[in-house]
């Protein structure tokens, strides 16, 4: 994935100052995602479904059961994959200038299947590590039957674009005297308090990915 | 929006035990969303874009600039709208049985424009109230020019389906002795610490919607 020029599909016409095409920015947004949304056509209709995701190299990975309609459909046609992090409410003095801070990525292309058992085992290990670093060494790895029954798909990040809004309020000058609180209310995904299975409470709790903070100790 | 039978598009074939078609469940999931993802076709390609959303009655609302390609395209063809709340990581003793808890909704249909200025003013007021209850009375309401320059779209919730996973680990019996922490790690969208504009720090801070908790006082 090298530095790209926008394609007709990844050129941002609406608020182009928010667009980013550099791979590092796109990867960083993907790397904080646990779920993506996939838009695809099937049966004469457009669909949009969420699924878990992770990145390895220049590909975004998803998985599904071997007999799933979704994964079969995705192999047959192009799709669009969207990832969005909602980072804050931008609360202005006028209703009109309210906004949201966010980081989003859209990927265009077609998924391909990765059927090699070793590659699948490595990818699913990376998936577990993405959700809880260090965990893959502690859990039972997939059996051959489990690997065989699960389809691994990946899509190249070759045609992708990021959009970011990460700044403050943009009120008009004539609204600045309105005596209301204005500013940004940051939002983030937080974890906790943990809900251990019976017999697990005394064990070392799971490690979180760096992009998710705990809030256990305060208002859990 | 009355009790519905699934349509061919909202019948869930994959893990149907997670599917819900009752309007109360669908509405409750939508009411905790600030952002949705919209899948649509344009220029021979499928697209997936995030945008802000809110519900009023039996409709999901979005908005955009009058000259936006997105809103124009949505008026011309059917789309699918997806909302997903990631509620937790389900950490099993085997890699294979890891899962996620979530609540999602997919809506099928076509957006329609609401052009009546009074209806638009009421809808944008509801939007501000959705993001910060009580705020619409404190900020400057939209001017006639701002209302005229903004397109309001709504889509009926007539053809919609929810999927929910909200339970614990489902390990196989033969894996129960593996000495790893297993359980659910709840995830939620949290707010804080607030970032007031200059001169706003002493004012009453914004009210949050009930579905977002603050974490300001601990690890902000």
């Amino acid at each position: 994935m090298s530095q790209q020029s926008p394609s007709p599909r990844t050129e941002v016409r609406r608020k182009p100052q928010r667009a980013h095409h550099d791979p590092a920015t796109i990867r960083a947004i993907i790397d904080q995602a646990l779920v993506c949304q996939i838009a695809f056509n099937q049966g004469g209709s457009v669909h949009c479904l969420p699924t878990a995701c992770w990145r390895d190299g220049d590909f975004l990975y998803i998985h599904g059961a071997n007999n799933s309609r979704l994964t079969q459909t995705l192999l047959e046609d192009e799709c669009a994959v969207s990832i969005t992090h909602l980072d804050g409410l931008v609360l202005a003095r006028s209703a009109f200038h309210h906004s949201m801070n966010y980081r989003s990525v859209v990927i265009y292309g077609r998924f391909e299947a990765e059927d090699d058992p070793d590659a699948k085992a490595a990818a699913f290990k990376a998936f577990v590590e993405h959700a809880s670093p260090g965990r893959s060494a502690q859990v039972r790895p997939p059996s051959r039957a489990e690997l065989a029954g699960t389809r691994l798909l990946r899509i190249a990040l070759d045609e992708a674009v990021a959009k970011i809004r990460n700044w403050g309020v943009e009120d008009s000058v004539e609204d600045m005297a309105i005596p209301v609180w204005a500013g940004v209310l940051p939002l983030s995904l937080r974890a906790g308090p943990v809900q251990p299975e019976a017999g697990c409470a005394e064990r070392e709790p799971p490690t979180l990915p760096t992009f998710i903070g705990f809030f256990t100790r305060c208002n859990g």
Side-chain angles (χ1 to χ4, degrees), chain A residues 88-174:
Chain A
L89 300 177
V90 182
L91 300 170
R93 298 163 183 88
S94 61
F96 183 76
H97 283 103
H98 278 64
S99 187
M100 291 179 184
N101 279 340
Y102 63 92
R103 290 162 295 143
S104 70
V105 163
V106 180
I107 305 160
Y108 292 93
R110 186 188 292 212
F111 277 94
E112 60 187 11
E114 175 58 88
D115 293 326
D116 176 71
D118 291 340
K120 287 172 74 171
F124 290 129
K125 179 176 176 179
F127 184 20
V128 171
E129 290 294 301
H130 177 52
S132 184
R135 189 168 180 85
S136 66
Q138 302 174 302
V139 298
R140 178 178 63 72
S143 67
R144 292 179 60 146
E146 287 169 346
L147 284 176
T150 308
R151 185 167 260 167
L152 177 67
L153 303 186
R154 68 180 197 176
I155 187 170
L157 304 181
D158 292 338
E159 190 179 350
V161 57
K163 282 185 80 175
I164 300 175
R165 189 197 191 281
N166 60 358
W167 52 85
V169 174
E170 298 177 298
D171 267 317
S172 303
V173 173
E174 55 264 37

Side-chain angles (χ1 to χ4, degrees), chain A residues 1-7 10 19-27 58 157-161:
Chain A
M1 187 188 184
S2 54
Q3 182 68 40
Q4 302 160 28
S5 299
S7 76
T10 62
H20 300 262
H21 292 90
D22 60 295
T25 299
I26 291 168
R27 287 179 181 164
D58 293 339
L157 304 181
D158 292 338
E159 190 179 350
V161 57

Side-chain angles (χ1 to χ4, degrees), chain A residues 14-207:
Chain A
R14 184 81 207 145
K15 303 189 175 174
Q17 70 275 22
R18 299 183 184 180
H20 300 262
H21 292 90
D22 60 295
T25 299
I26 291 168
R27 287 179 181 164
I29 293 171
I30 293 172
D31 286 350
Q32 296 199 3
L34 293 161
V35 171
C36 65
Q37 302 278 340
I38 306 184
F40 59 98
N41 288 294
Q42 184 192 48
S45 181
V46 65
H47 301 269
C48 193
L49 291 183
T51 194
C53 66
W54 69 102
R55 184 183 68 86
D56 194 3
D58 293 339
F59 293 90
L60 180 85
Y61 286 80
I62 65 168
H63 76 309
N66 259 351
N67 58 356
S68 117
R69 278 198 313 166
L70 172 64
T71 55
Q72 187 56 45
T73 300
L74 292 177
L75 292 172
E76 294 167 359
D77 201 359
E78 292 216 322
C79 69
V81 183
S82 174
I83 285 169
T84 305
H85 306 299
L86 180 59
D87 292 330
L89 300 177
V90 182
L91 300 170
R93 298 163 183 88
S94 61
F96 183 76
H97 283 103
H98 278 64
S99 187
M100 291 179 184
N101 279 340
Y102 63 92
R103 290 162 295 143
S104 70
V105 163
V106 180
I107 305 160
Y108 292 93
R110 186 188 292 212
F111 277 94
E112 60 187 11
E114 175 58 88
D115 293 326
D116 176 71
D118 291 340
K120 287 172 74 171
F124 290 129
K125 179 176 176 179
F127 184 20
V128 171
E129 290 294 301
H130 177 52
S132 184
R135 189 168 180 85
S136 66
Q138 302 174 302
V139 298
R140 178 178 63 72
S143 67
R144 292 179 60 146
E146 287 169 346
L147 284 176
T150 308
R151 185 167 260 167
L152 177 67
L153 303 186
R154 68 180 197 176
I155 187 170
L157 304 181
D158 292 338
E159 190 179 350
V161 57
K163 282 185 80 175
I164 300 175
R165 189 197 191 281
N166 60 358
W167 52 85
V169 174
E170 298 177 298
D171 267 317
S172 303
V173 173
E174 55 264 37
D175 290 327
M176 295 300 285
I178 296 170
V180 64
W181 190 97
V184 175
L185 189 54
L187 299 173
S188 55
L189 198 62
R190 296 276 151 177
V194 296
Q195 298 172 352
E197 289 264 287
C200 291
E202 303 305 311
R203 293 181 185 156
E204 186 73 23
T207 306

